[in-house]
Amino acid sequence: MTAHPYTDNVLMSCGEDGRIISYDTRATLTRAQATLQLMSEVTCVQYHPRMDHIFVTSDASGKVCLRDARMAFGPFRQRSRHGIVHAVRPLIEIGLK
């Protein structure tokens, strides 16, 4: 779980089920504001300390992705590539050991 760098009421979590969930504790009906479903287990999520829309994730395969929350959780027409801005694959996958 990670806290938003500027808004204390906004949190993000990840799980073994491949979901990244954005929460807003100010919401009255449901705390989960948006969900991003990925194909593999998400092992870590962390907001960027200075750029409030940027966060990083890692998954069970070793892939690390820099993501933009506006592309991942924004209005449906603005969503693209699961919010991925940049991705790094594991060294084994690209042939370096």
Side-chain angles (χ1 to χ4, degrees), residues 89-97:
R89 297 179 298 162
L91 294 178
I92 295 171
E93 193 175 305
I94 59 176
L96 301 174
K97 296 182 181 180

Side-chain angles (χ1 to χ4, degrees), residues 2 13 19 30 33 44 46 48 50-51 56 58 61-62 64 68 71-73 82 87:
T2 182
S13 70
R19 291 189 303 166
T30 179
Q33 296 300 300
C44 185
Q46 181 69 47
H48 189 284
R50 293 191 185 103
M51 301 173 73
V56 67
S58 62
S61 69
V64 177
D68 187 322
M71 293 168 50
F73 303 118
H82 296 292

Side-chain angles (χ1 to χ4, degrees), residues 66-79:
L66 186 67
R67 299 176 188 268
D68 187 322
R70 297 167 294 187
M71 293 168 50
F73 303 118
F76 188 71
R77 294 188 325 190
Q78 292 179 357
R79 294 182 188 186

Side-chain angles (χ1 to χ4, degrees), residues 3-70:
H4 193 274
Y6 301 114
T7 308
D8 293 337
N9 300 334
V10 176
L11 307 165
M12 197 178 302
S13 70
C14 63
E16 295 175 348
D17 58 359
R19 291 189 303 166
I20 300 169
I21 304 172
S22 177
Y23 300 92
D24 189 338
T25 60
R26 298 169 293 190
T28 56
L29 295 177
T30 179
R31 303 275 187 223
Q33 296 300 300
T35 302
L36 178 61
Q37 181 67 54
L38 304 179
M39 296 302 291
S40 66
E41 172 186 350
V42 183
T43 57
C44 185
V45 63
Q46 181 69 47
Y47 272 111
H48 189 284
R50 293 191 185 103
M51 301 173 73
D52 61 341
H53 295 292
I54 302 297
F55 64 100
V56 67
T57 61
S58 62
D59 66 24
S61 69
K63 186 176 181 182
V64 177
C65 296
L66 186 67
R67 299 176 188 268
D68 187 322
R70 297 167 294 187

